[in-house]
Amino acid sequence: MGFFDKMFEKKERAICGTELGLLGKTKINEGYLCKECAGKLSPYFHGYRSSTADDIREQLAYREANAERLASFNPTRTLSAGRTNIMLDEDAGLLIITSQSRWRDANPDIIEFSQVLGCDMDIDEHRTEIYRETKDGERESYNPPRYDLDYDFNLTIHVNTPYFTEINLRVNDSTIDQRGSIEYREAKRQATEVRDALVQLRQETRNSVAAAKAPKTAVTCPFCGATTIPDASGRCEYCGGAIGA
């Protein structure tokens, strides 16, 4: 067998058993992933090098379960960030982030409201110096220097999941070349709306957790007269009347 035959000989196998060549494989801590398996992982996952084969199998199982959960995901509110949508199922306390119209087919990660830790907005300003040409055909700076400015609105969503901790989004579809333009104002509006909504969602979730942990106080039900501790919905445990309604 010649040198090139040995070079391209298929010897390695991915964790799923697929035979691998030199191309179409991703290195992990214990071996390789085939292209198909790598494509099934979360798009926000980047820890390939530190992941064992068992870690990858666990995530693949999670992704299969995620696809099944999407069947019952019911969006009640949508926040736009350019071509990307943050879709909220407020009744179930879940959200997904997707740029696909057939989003169930894309299997976006379902994130629980309680897993959202915060959201940061950042405006990136890109400066490119503008030069002028001298009589000798040379390029020189203006005095003072002049710059061409471009802008990008970025969001970083911080989450607590086993497979990723950040989701990075660029709100504007293309780089904005004028501060204060219609495109600039719209990108800023969308980025601010998403950030504020997720920060509020985080605070409301924390308040709900704190309220659930707070000591319960017995009250007299105005409907049946019983001494009761209201349930999670604020209703009498005996007659079901709304306490304080």
Side-chain angles (χ1 to χ4, degrees), residues 125 132 228:
E125 181 182 88
R132 64 185 175 187
T228 180

Side-chain angles (χ1 to χ4, degrees), residues 1-240:
M1 181 180 291
F3 172 77
F4 288 105
D5 292 328
K6 291 183 178 179
M7 180 176 171
F8 289 99
E9 183 182 8
K10 295 180 179 179
K11 294 181 178 179
E12 296 168 323
R13 289 184 177 272
I15 63 169
C16 63
T18 301
E19 193 175 62
L20 296 170
L22 290 179
L23 305 177
K25 62 184 180 182
T26 300
K27 184 73 174 70
I28 61 173
N29 183 270
E30 299 176 343
Y32 293 92
L33 281 178
C34 69
K35 183 178 180 180
E36 183 178 352
C37 285
K40 293 179 180 178
L41 300 179
S42 170
Y44 309 119
F45 172 70
H46 303 293
Y48 295 97
R49 290 285 181 173
S50 60
S51 296
T52 65
D54 285 342
D55 293 334
I56 296 299
R57 292 188 185 99
E58 181 182 280
Q59 185 179 167
L60 289 172
Y62 144 75
R63 291 287 290 163
E64 289 182 7
N66 189 85
E68 294 177 1
R69 290 179 71 193
L70 282 170
S72 59
F73 184 89
N74 181 35
T76 57
R77 182 184 179 192
T78 298
L79 305 169
S80 295
R83 293 194 180 98
T84 301
N85 289 322
I86 296 91
M87 305 172 73
L88 310 179
D89 183 341
E90 296 165 300
D91 297 329
L94 306 171
L95 68 83
I96 61 172
I97 299 173
T98 182
S99 58
Q100 304 296 319
S101 58
R102 297 174 60 88
W103 47 268
R104 283 192 173 89
D105 294 340
N107 195 17
D109 292 279
I110 294 176
I111 300 169
E112 298 179 4
F113 286 177
S114 61
Q115 292 178 298
V116 178
L117 304 181
C119 181
D120 299 326
M121 181 179 76
D122 181 59
I123 306 174
D124 282 345
E125 181 182 88
H126 311 284
R127 304 178 58 169
T128 303
E129 186 172 358
I130 301 172
Y131 297 93
R132 64 185 175 187
E133 188 174 321
T134 66
K135 294 179 181 179
D136 300 326
E138 299 293 328
R139 190 177 72 162
E140 68 175 9
S141 298
Y142 286 91
N143 187 19
R146 299 180 184 177
Y147 297 93
D148 179 42
L149 302 178
D150 297 316
Y151 303 91
D152 286 317
F153 284 81
N154 300 309
L155 290 169
T156 301
I157 302 172
H158 304 281
V159 295
N160 179 21
T161 80
Y163 307 108
F164 53 91
T165 58
E166 288 185 351
I167 300 172
N168 298 300
L169 304 175
R170 189 176 83 159
V171 176
N172 45 297
D173 298 331
S174 57
T175 297
I176 301 168
D177 58 12
Q178 185 177 348
R179 186 182 183 90
S181 64
I182 293 175
E183 293 79 10
Y184 183 97
R185 295 198 302 271
E186 177 59 16
K188 184 176 182 179
R189 183 196 67 78
Q190 290 188 8
T192 302
E193 181 182 30
V194 171
R195 181 200 60 189
D196 290 352
L198 294 182
V199 169
Q200 181 181 358
L201 180 154
R202 170 62 178 167
Q203 188 59 50
E204 289 175 350
T205 301
R206 294 182 69 181
N207 291 344
S208 297
V209 171
K213 292 181 178 180
K216 304 300 181 182
T217 302
V219 298
T220 300
C221 175
F223 299 97
C224 67
T227 300
T228 180
I229 296 178
D231 62 16
S233 300
R235 294 184 175 275
C236 173
E237 60 185 315
Y238 299 105
C239 72

